[in-house]
């Protein structure tokens, strides 16, 4: 119960103004809900696909793709800020990724929320909030060990997660320091927020290093709704 409350609180911070414990207000079906949403959603698979081009040193191709998008794509100021943060994470400038504290785990919120059309009702969309927790940590249950990372995704304002999912919600990730890649399916096995909003999690064996991840896919709730979320991107360091 405490774990569920902690994760819900963290997700609520990632999307200000939408309370995880209360039904969310309907969100207009407008990409302006998330600044630069369409361009950034397109960026996520582009960056992850680039990792396969140079598996021994994937950050070279990732940087090239990100810089090209920054220079040529018609992005909003907020989208450019997010993309610039990805570039500085990858090239190590201005310190690169976030510092890992010595006295506890870090919760790395993904760089922007995503939107699930019709996830609350046919006329109400949900904001999807994602975060990563590098191990060792206690959340999400059973807790990621050192060299692994936990992913948590919450569809704010939705009904509880259905027992059976029509399609997977997946975290695609690449360790840009080692070239290791993976696709980890998020599930409701950890039983986080059993009374809603729908929350899924998973633990991935990323290895130590800088990790870039994108979460996307579908969720099904016990309200009989299945909806899809376009990718959101996160960047964090695993010790």
């Amino acid at each position: 119960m405490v774990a569920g409350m902690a994760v819900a609180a963290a997700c609520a911070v990632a999307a200000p103004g939408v309370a995880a414990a209360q039904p969310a207000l309907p969100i207009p079906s407008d990409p302006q809900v998330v600044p630069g949403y369409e361009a950034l959603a397109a960026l996520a698979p582009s960056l992850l696909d680039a990792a396969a081009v140079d598996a021994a040193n994937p950050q070279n191709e990732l940087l090239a793709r990100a810089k090209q998008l920054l220079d040529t794509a018609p992005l909003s100021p907020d989208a450019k800020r997010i993309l610039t943060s990805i570039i500085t994470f990858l090239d190590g400038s201005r310190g690169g990724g976030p510092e890992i504290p010595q006295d506890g785990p870090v919760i790395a919120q993904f760089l922007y929320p995503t939107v699930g059309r019709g996830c609350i009702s046919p006329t109400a969309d949900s904001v999807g909030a994602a975060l990563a927790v590098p191990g060792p940590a206690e959340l999400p249950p059973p807790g990621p060990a050192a060299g692994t990372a936990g992913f948590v995704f919450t569809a704010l304002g939705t009904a509880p997660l259905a027992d059976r999912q029509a399609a997977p919600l997946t975290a695609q990730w690449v360790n840009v320091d080692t070239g290791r890649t993976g696709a980890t399916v998020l599930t409701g096995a950890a039983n986080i927020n059993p009374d809603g909003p729908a929350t899924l999690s998973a633990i991935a064996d990323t290895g130590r290093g800088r990790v870039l991840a994108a979460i996307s896919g579908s969720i099904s709730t016990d309200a009989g709704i299945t909806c899809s979320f376009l990718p959101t991107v996160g960047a964090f360091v695993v010790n």
Side-chain angles (χ1 to χ4, degrees):
M1 181 67 171
V2 173
M5 293 174 62
V7 171
C11 289
V13 172
V18 183
Q22 300 294 331
L25 294 175
I27 299 170
S29 297
D30 184 343
Q32 295 305 313
V33 167
V34 180
Y37 175 71
E38 302 293 349
L40 290 168
L43 166 66
S46 176
L47 286 176
L48 292 170
D49 289 346
V53 174
D54 186 359
N57 194 16
Q59 59 264 47
N60 287 347
E61 182 66 18
L62 291 167
L63 275 169
R65 292 282 188 95
K67 289 177 179 178
Q68 182 181 24
L69 283 168
L70 184 62
D71 292 339
T72 61
L75 301 176
S76 68
D78 282 334
K80 288 183 178 180
R81 173 183 55 78
I82 291 170
L83 186 52
T84 299
S85 72
I86 293 173
I87 292 171
T88 57
F89 175 83
L90 291 169
D91 67 13
S93 62
R94 291 186 290 176
E99 294 292 332
I100 301 298
Q102 300 301 311
D103 56 352
V106 62
I107 294 176
Q109 296 176 12
F110 274 44
L111 295 173
Y112 55 95
T114 181
V115 175
R117 307 299 188 194
C119 281
I120 299 174
S121 74
T123 58
D125 304 334
S126 169
V127 170
L131 57 86
V133 183
E138 295 181 359
L139 297 175
T148 70
F151 295 106
V152 180
F153 184 94
T154 300
L156 299 172
T158 59
L161 194 68
D163 292 335
R164 299 186 66 179
Q165 296 297 294
L169 184 78
T170 303
Q172 294 179 281
W173 51 265
V174 54
N175 185 320
V176 299
D177 291 321
T178 67
R180 182 184 297 185
T181 63
T184 303
V185 175
L186 280 69
T187 73
N191 200 33
I192 301 171
N193 298 332
D195 299 323
T199 301
L200 303 92
S201 66
I203 296 175
D205 185 11
T206 60
R208 291 175 170 83
R210 295 173 297 158
V211 177
L212 182 67
I215 292 179
S216 63
S218 299
I219 67 164
S220 299
T221 72
D222 68 6
I225 294 173
T226 295
C227 58
S228 297
F229 289 86
L230 288 176
T232 180
V233 174
F236 53 93
V237 179
V238 177
N239 274 351

